[in-house]
Amino acid sequence: MNMHPSDLPKAPTRTTCPYCGVGCGVLAQPGPAGGATIAGDTEHPSNFGRLCSKGSALGETLSLDGRLLHPEIGAQRVSWDAALDATAEGFRRTLEAHGPEAIAIYLSGQLLTEDYYAANKLFKGFLGSANVDTNSRLCMSSSVAGHKRAFGADTVPGTYRDLETADLLVFVGSNAAWCHPVLYQRMLAAKAARGTKIVVIDPRGTATAEEADLHLPLAGGSDTALFCGLLVHLADEGRLDQAYVAAHTQGFDAALARAREIAPTLAATAAACDLPPADVAAFFELFATTERVVTLYSQGVNQAAQGTDKVGAILNCHLATGRIGREGMGPFSLTGQPNAMGGREVGGLANQLAAHMGFEPASIDRVRRFWDAPRMAEAEGLKAVDMFDAVARGEIKALWVMGTNPAVSMPRADAVRAALKRLDHFVVSENVASNDTLGAAPHIRLPAAAWGEKDGTVTNSERRISRQRPFLAPPGQTRPDWWAVAQVAKRLGFGEAFGWRTPGEVFREHAALSAFENEGTRDFDIGALAELDARDYDQLKPIQWPARQGAARTETRFFANGGFYTATGRANFVAVAPITPAATPDYRFPFRLNTGRIRDQWHTMTRTGKSQRLSSHLVEPFVEIHPEDAASEGLKDGGFARVTTAHGHVVLRVRAEPGQRRGSLFAPIHWNDETASHGRVGALVHAAVDPFSGQPDAKATPAAVAPLRFARQGFALTQGTLGALDPATWWAKATVPHGIGLLFATDHVVTLSEIFPDLEPGDEIVDYVDAGRGVARSAVFRDGALAACLFVAADRQENAWTFLRARLGEELTEGQVRSLLLAGRASDGAACGPLVCACHGVPKGVIETAIRAGAPDAAAVGAATKAGTNCGSCLPEIRRMLVDARALATA
Ligand SMILES: Nc1nc2c(c(=O)[nH]1)N[C@H]1C(S)=C(S)[C@@H](COP(=O)(O)OP(=O)(O)OC[C@H]3O[C@@H](n4cnc5c(=O)[nH]c(N)nc54)[C@H](O)[C@@H]3O)O[C@H]1N2
Ligand SMILES: Nc1nc2c(c(=O)[nH]1)N[C@H]1C(S)=C(S)[C@@H](COP(=O)(O)OP(=O)(O)OC[C@H]3O[C@@H](n4cnc5c(=O)[nH]c(N)nc54)[C@H](O)[C@@H]3O)O[C@H]1N2
Ligand code: SF4
Ligand SMILES: [Mo]
């Protein structure tokens, strides 16, 4: 924990990527001048050496600028002692005056298992409050609820190997090409080797859908009907595994009867999903006739007002065919965050207790005895949406936020941010010094150790526990989150129960609890790890659970032979709720706003936003809309739209996309007040929640769009700082090589001195102004090298941006400067367009040139340009360009 720079390891450190739930192994070698060299770990069973664009760029995200390095009370830097005393005192005061309902902690799937365990133990066992929830509520909770309802436990039955040995992969509401890229590449490799068929069920044409044999662009929200139709088809075609259903399940007849009500025929199913009947028939036939099927699902399933039923409808089809827990088959919930699974294991959700136990009296008593807990929470606490509503009403008065940015990521984010300001006692544990949640003025800021510094474990989508190991000294006063929790506990009088000295000690306790009075009654059992000594913990190799003490580890799948965790040991088929007719649409909000992710940014951009490579692919917040909808709403591709819902509005760049469904909008979730002026999409999202899981529906907020025009647009690039712009200006910031970039649109005049406050007298400024056309371009040279530039015109200047974003600090030739300033274009025309390959910095223009020169496939494009040859995340886009070029050639 207190690593000194001279103790830095000489050999690369084996650790785990801090982004998605694939859980790739990383080799990190700290550099002499800070940062680190990053490579994929060839020995890690998640990735066998591969990394995606985000993982590859980790070394670019480790700088200390923007880090929170010292504890603060108010805006004053204080000692840890003072900050911890004040944190503890605030919770003590609130508890005494208002009881355990008035306190809460809001956690994150990006915490390590050890952090999560400590926080959960303190609140649920020692402060008597189950108001412990996590951003996993917004992420995995419908899968958790769906698993528990069907299996009696939150179990992911399969393994990654199944994805490679399946003959049919069905992706439901998952854009794995962008969100689980390394796993997706593994599946594509298997497809190439064995001809695996891929079906993608997503209202949008995504990068994942581009590789599919069949894409079903169903109406948003209609997945339950689709899988009910499938169950009916399987029954009618005699495709059920009667023996499995009879031996290991219950409730089949009721579930089928309900499915028949919802989707009696193929035609009815197709109508409910607004899909061509022939495509639905093709999917049903593939599923019915392929034994080895894996159905992978993610946020298009979970983040829905009927998310738990969507999960149930999918699980029904696998249970009915007995395709579960066997090689190459099963339902597979793709987890989002690096430790989404670990959070579920410790009980980080308000409706779980710990170690996959709930709030049944026997479990409460068992955990009480294990913890020797003085004040156990006796009932479930408030789930995220309810928790922040209780904050808004003033009922929760003391809140600790750790490792998440709810002022951006919660639905109705503006209301959440306003609610945070009402708290009497508001503590935030963070890596960064500034984000939208910190903008709500917490009373106490605690500086947390970040990836590369922190030490512990995470669990990936296939239940595999891997170590995150430190390879950098914790900077400033940063400390691990579990330590801060333990210190607060000590100040509240619980020093003995929180006396851990290392994360390994926390882990052992967690492992022991999983095995405590378990005897096979609970799926989550890692008792075999309860006695690891410090060295074993340090050297722990990636290991899948279950890992029961004394049991031979032969099978890591669940349920091939039943053995469910329900009272009867049988799986429950679920009769999903009847589908109620949609409420009368609100004429003010005719569109459905779907939100999600882009390839190269991670959530609220606090880390990926620091990488120039990752900030090159999609640079601005945008909204995608079908071209015909764009035309009818008066929107222009490349123009601007104001998107409004009942909860807020944003202004986004318009991308007219034929892959969008009519009536649907898609906007990415990443931009926030730190990175854009009007791009906080979370402010628009309604808080409609699933009745079982409490997970909000982030994919279907009623919305309106309207065109917005600005007199001028442009960009600025600088090695120095950016000045403040008129508040009505639309802007987005992006990290570029050696500096920062700003794209903007405005009705005001933007001057050089306003945007670059640190110009120096000796700077050489080269200008071009064409007042008639509203064009003004300036380049600032310092000691002969480009120090800043400002380009303003009536519309966007993508070519000049792509060229110049990579030229700060360089000397430009006379010819380049002339061409850029006069014509607004780089003289090298190929440099144009957005960067497609982030790893090798290859812009669209270069790839198009290679295709025009005859490159027949992605491999040839790679050979000619290097594009797509590192992580492969951009291969879908390159293949699409090839298809488009072919379509043009034959047209
Ligand atoms: N690059 C990148 N990768 C990430 C993340 C990131 O921020 N950036 N975050 C990680 C996290 S925490 C998570 S949870 C995962 C999320 O990974 P995904 O779930 O794959 O990502 P999303 O983009 O949220 O949504 C997936 C798809 O659901 C579709 N969808 C919307 N409504 C419906 C519907 O009604 N039915 C169906 N079938 N589909 C629908 C959307 O169009 C979208 O394409 O990604 C992880 N990986
Ligand atoms: N509209 C809409 N909203 C969504 C979603 C959507 O699809 N649509 N997806 C939802 C989903 S699935 C998710 S997972 C959430 C993600 O939403 P958030 O969790 O709010 O997003 P992050 O940007 O990952 O926030 C993590 C924060 O924790 C900090 N941090 C990172 N590591 C540590 C650590 O070890 N310790 C501490 N103390 N701090 C740390 C980072 O600096 C950052 O500020 O968004 C949800 N919100
Ligand atoms: S797929 Fe990419 S983001 Fe996910 S764990 Fe692997 S390297 Fe990290
Ligand atoms: Mo997530």
Side-chain angles (χ1 to χ4, degrees):
M1 184 178 104
N2 287 318
M3 198 184 280
H4 187 267
S6 64
D7 304 334
L8 285 179
K10 310 292 180 287
T13 299
R14 286 212 138 76
T15 182
T16 310
C17 177
Y19 297 123
C20 83
V22 176
C24 296
V26 168
L27 295 175
Q29 174 81 67
T37 310
I38 299 295
D41 180 353
T42 51
E43 287 175 25
H44 197 288
S46 295
N47 57 319
F48 301 104
R50 271 182 174 273
L51 294 176
C52 76
S53 52
K54 293 182 299 299
S56 303
L58 273 166
E60 285 179 29
T61 65
L62 300 173
S63 75
L64 294 186
D65 46 278
R67 279 291 296 273
L68 179 66
L69 294 173
H70 304 276
E72 290 173 9
I73 297 182
Q76 292 298 309
R77 193 183 282 190
V78 297
S79 68
W80 264 106
D81 264 333
L84 293 164
D85 287 347
T87 300
E89 183 50 32
F91 283 107
R92 187 204 322 268
R93 222 179 28 235
T94 311
L95 257 179
E96 277 167 10
H98 306 284
E101 292 76 36
I103 65 169
I105 188 163
Y106 186 59
L107 304 166
S108 163
Q110 291 162 76
L111 298 170
L112 302 177
T113 298
E114 293 76 2
D115 303 323
Y116 237 136
Y117 178 86
N120 189 57
K121 179 179 177 184
L122 175 61
F123 273 70
K124 289 191 185 144
F126 292 73
L127 302 182
S129 175
N131 290 337
V132 177
D133 215 41
T134 146
N135 61 4
S136 281
R137 181 68 59 196
L138 319 177
C139 182
M140 308 312 312
S141 59
S142 294
S143 279
V144 175
H147 290 153
K148 286 176 84 166
R149 198 158 57 144
F151 306 151
D154 175 20
T155 319
V156 174
T159 69
Y160 287 169
R161 188 184 145 85
D162 298 327
L163 311 178
E164 292 175 322
T165 56
D167 293 313
L168 171 63
L169 297 170
V170 182
F171 291 85
V172 195
S174 152
N175 186 11
W178 281 9
C179 295
H180 299 89
V182 166
L183 200 53
Y184 184 70
Q185 293 297 326
R186 281 178 65 177
M187 293 184 263
L188 288 189
K191 178 178 174 58
R194 63 185 286 139
T196 319
K197 290 271 185 295
I198 291 184
V199 176
V200 171
I201 299 168
D202 191 313
R204 234 163 35 104
T206 59
T208 312
E210 271 157 33
E211 306 283 342
D213 298 284
L214 178 65
H215 172 211
L216 300 180
L218 80 181
S222 63
D223 308 73
T224 303
L226 184 65
F227 282 87
C228 283
L230 177 59
L231 189 66
V232 170
H233 177 85
L234 294 168
D236 291 351
E237 296 294 309
R239 296 288 180 173
L240 305 176
D241 183 338
Q242 304 282 7
Y244 190 89
V245 171
H248 302 306
T249 71
Q250 57 203 17
F252 177 75
D253 292 343
L256 180 63
R258 178 58 52 73
R260 279 196 200 284
E261 282 167 30
I262 292 171
T265 61
L266 185 104
T269 311
C273 303
D274 190 22
L275 287 169
D279 288 356
V280 175
F283 166 52
F284 286 2
E285 193 55 21
L286 262 177
F287 195 106
T289 56
T290 313
E291 172 90 5
R292 291 189 168 196
V293 185
V294 178
T295 305
L296 302 106
Y297 54 93
S298 188
Q299 297 316 338
V301 168
N302 293 337
Q303 285 172 346
Q306 317 74 24
T308 307
D309 270 357
K310 288 192 185 188
V311 172
I314 292 170
L315 300 184
N316 282 349
C317 293
H318 279 272
L319 290 169
T321 49
R323 294 178 192 152
I324 188 162
R326 287 190 285 145
E327 173 96 46
M329 46 189 112
F332 202 104
S333 149
L334 286 167
T335 57
Q337 299 176 90
N339 202 26
M341 285 288 245
R344 285 145 71 170
E345 289 156 16
V346 303
L349 291 161
N351 52 330
Q352 297 181 335
L353 184 50
H356 279 204
M357 285 177 272
F359 283 91
E360 312 79 35
S363 298
I364 297 173
D365 180 59
R366 183 178 307 116
V367 177
R368 180 202 322 274
R369 285 183 284 114
F370 182 85
W371 279 342
D372 196 11
R375 194 172 185 182
M376 283 294 289
E378 303 280 346
E380 297 181 3
L382 295 178
K383 303 183 175 107
V385 169
D386 294 337
M387 181 187 276
F388 286 98
D389 282 351
V391 171
R393 288 192 304 270
E395 290 163 16
I396 289 179
K397 297 174 191 298
L399 173 71
W400 192 345
V401 171
M402 189 179 283
T404 174
N405 194 357
V408 181
S409 57
M410 278 291 293
R412 296 179 314 205
D414 283 344
V416 167
R417 183 162 62 181
L420 293 173
K421 295 182 183 160
R422 294 203 52 184
L423 286 159
D424 292 345
H425 184 56
F426 179 23
V427 183
V428 175
S429 290
E430 249 304 333
N431 291 157
V432 298
S434 176
N435 69 13
D436 291 29
T437 298
L438 290 164
H443 305 106
I444 301 173
R445 295 160 202 241
L446 302 177
W451 184 78
E453 302 146 17
K454 58 187 187 175
D455 190 2
T457 55
V458 290
T459 310
N460 74 2
S461 293
E462 62 161 355
R463 293 174 271 103
R464 191 180 296 280
I465 298 169
S466 294
R467 290 277 280 112
Q468 270 195 22
R469 297 186 177 88
F471 55 89
L472 297 168
Q477 297 289 307
T478 57
R479 293 283 185 278
D481 292 304
W482 68 263
W483 178 88
V485 171
Q487 290 295 317
V488 168
K490 188 173 140 196
R491 283 162 173 79
L492 291 169
F494 313 123
E496 205 178 321
F498 291 80
W500 314 295
R501 287 154 306 166
T502 64
E505 291 180 3
V506 186
F507 183 82
R508 277 199 291 283
E509 183 180 314
H510 161 63
L513 174 56
S514 79
F516 184 60
E517 299 176 0
N518 185 326
E519 274 102 46
T521 58
R522 306 193 300 270
D523 62 338
F524 178 64
D525 185 341
I526 55 169
L529 307 178
E531 265 139 48
L532 298 180
D533 62 21
R535 196 166 146 273
D536 295 338
Y537 176 75
D538 210 47
Q539 297 182 352
L540 184 69
K541 290 212 166 70
I543 177 172
Q544 249 176 322
W545 61 260
R548 301 184 201 283
Q549 175 73 297
R553 300 191 65 255
T554 47
E555 175 60 279
T556 58
R557 296 190 184 90
F558 284 86
F559 309 143
N561 301 306
F564 293 92
Y565 295 93
T566 54
T568 55
R570 290 167 175 269
N572 294 313
F573 276 98
V574 172
V576 298
I579 293 173
T580 46
T584 323
D586 183 338
Y587 66 92
R588 294 170 306 163
F589 300 119
F591 286 87
R592 281 169 74 102
L593 174 66
N594 175 9
T595 60
R597 292 153 173 80
I598 62 173
R599 191 188 79 193
D600 288 351
Q601 293 294 349
W602 177 262
H603 298 165
T604 71
M605 301 166 88
T606 57
R607 289 175 290 166
T608 45
K610 279 183 158 185
S611 158
Q612 64 86 3
R613 274 195 280 168
L614 298 180
S615 304
S616 65
H617 182 233
L618 294 168
V619 197
E620 303 162 313
F622 61 85
V623 57
E624 286 181 352
I625 181 169
H626 190 279
E628 286 169 34
D629 284 339
S632 66
E633 300 301 310
L635 300 173
K636 247 183 49 205
D637 184 40
F640 290 90
R642 178 191 294 275
V643 183
T644 309
T645 70
H647 308 285
H649 74 264
V650 292
V651 178
L652 304 169
R653 182 78 75 176
V654 175
R655 292 163 63 98
E657 258 295 329
Q660 275 300 316
R661 266 188 80 84
R662 295 294 307 272
S664 164
L665 308 171
F666 175 80
I669 58 175
H670 308 290
W671 281 271
N672 53 73
D673 279 358
E674 299 280 314
T675 50
S677 58
H678 299 77
R680 284 173 80 238
V681 165
L684 271 58
V685 177
H686 61 188
V689 299
D690 177 90
F692 303 97
S693 67
Q695 177 157 356
D697 183 338
K699 304 295 196 223
T701 307
V705 275
L708 199 71
R709 285 183 188 80
F710 294 98
R712 46 189 78 81
Q713 299 187 40
F715 67 84
L717 290 160
T718 178
Q719 292 188 299
T721 50
L722 285 164
L725 292 177
D726 180 277
T729 299
W730 181 93
W731 57 261
K733 268 183 204 160
T735 300
V736 299
H738 315 296
I740 178 104
L742 186 82
L743 297 120
F744 61 81
T746 181
D747 292 326
H748 294 259
V749 174
V750 181
T751 66
L752 209 57
S753 53
E754 150 190 47
I755 200 155
F756 302 133
D758 42 15
L759 288 180
E760 290 173 11
D763 290 341
E764 185 196 345
I765 299 171
V766 191
D767 284 317
Y768 169 79
V769 179
D770 179 343
R773 286 169 48 231
V775 172
R777 306 190 184 106
S778 312
V780 179
F781 292 88
R782 191 169 292 168
D783 304 323
L786 184 70
C789 59
L790 175 64
F791 275 51
V792 187
D795 49 26
R796 256 236 266 180
Q797 299 150 82
E798 274 189 294
N799 174 295
W801 161 264
T802 306
F803 181 80
L804 282 166
R805 71 177 282 287
R807 295 293 179 286
L808 284 173
E810 286 184 16
E811 295 178 10
L812 303 183
T813 66
E814 285 268 342
Q816 281 173 332
V817 175
R818 204 175 320 117
S819 159
L820 281 164
L821 292 184
L822 290 177
R825 310 180 59 79
S827 44
D828 172 10
C832 69
L835 289 186
V836 173
C837 173
C839 296
H840 292 298
V842 189
K844 199 169 178 183
V846 170
I847 297 168
E848 280 167 349
T849 306
I851 294 173
R852 270 198 304 275
D857 54 22
V861 169
T865 66
K866 290 178 95 176
T869 56
N870 181 42
C871 76
S873 305
C874 62
L875 287 172
E877 199 163 336
I878 295 173
R879 291 204 192 99
R880 172 157 158 196
M881 290 170 67
L882 283 156
V883 170
D884 290 350
R886 256 178 252 136
L888 270 180
T890 54

